[in-house]
């Protein structure tokens, strides 16, 4: 009506973004730790030209793993959070009251959509 996003929609967007950010951080930290361990195990006998070359190769490996794994976790967690908050908030606003069944239904719908696999 006033060309502004409502508080309800703004909270859904914010939760989705925070889910994305949290997933990016969590997945990135997991991926970078795994990449560090694999790099150290794989390159114990590798002779690098300089220590700087070894450190830059390690850093490149860690950063790439952080981005790949972080993005994989981030978009999934962001989409899940966005769908969950969207369904629960829509049900609460439609019925004009809050109930535990809104959250149960939102979890069931979101979980089933997340696990649903489309066959080509």
């Amino acid at each position: 009506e006033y060309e502004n996003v409502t508080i309800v929609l703004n909270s859904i967007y914010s939760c989705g973004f925070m889910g994305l950010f949290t997933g990016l951080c969590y997945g990135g930290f997991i991926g970078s730790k795994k990449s560090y361990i694999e790099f150290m195990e794989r390159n114990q006998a590798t002779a690098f030209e300089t220590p700087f070359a070894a450190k830059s190769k390690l850093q490149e490996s860690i950063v790439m793993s952080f981005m790949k794994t972080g993005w994989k976790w981030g978009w999934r967690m962001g989409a899940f959070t966005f769908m969950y908050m969207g369904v629960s908030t829509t049900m609460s606003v439609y019925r004009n009251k809050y109930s535990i069944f809104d959250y149960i239904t939102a979890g069931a719908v979101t979980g089933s959509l997340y696990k649903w696999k489309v066959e080509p």
Side-chain angles (χ1 to χ4, degrees), residues 32 47 52 61 66 102 117:
S32 62
F52 180 76
S61 173
F66 186 94
D102 298 337
K117 294 188 190 226

Side-chain angles (χ1 to χ4, degrees), residues 41-118:
E41 289 174 352
R42 193 174 50 237
N43 293 309
Q44 285 183 355
T46 305
F48 290 99
E49 293 179 14
T50 62
F52 180 76
K55 288 178 184 177
S56 68
K57 194 75 168 165
L58 173 64
Q59 183 178 1
E60 178 183 329
S61 173
I62 289 173
V63 169
M64 289 303 294
S65 180
F66 186 94
M67 289 190 299
K68 286 179 184 177
T69 312
W71 176 249
K72 187 171 101 174
W73 276 76
W75 80 264
R76 289 178 181 174
M77 188 175 274
F80 186 87
T81 307
F82 182 80
M83 285 190 297
Y84 178 82
M85 287 301 296
V87 171
S88 67
T89 304
T90 301
M91 290 178 61
S92 298
V93 168
Y94 181 74
R95 295 177 344 138
N96 200 21
K97 66 179 181 176
Y98 293 98
S99 171
I100 188 71
F101 297 113
D102 298 337
Y103 299 105
I104 293 171
T105 305
V109 168
T110 306
S112 64
L113 285 174
Y114 186 74
K115 288 294 183 180
W116 183 41
K117 294 188 190 226
V118 178

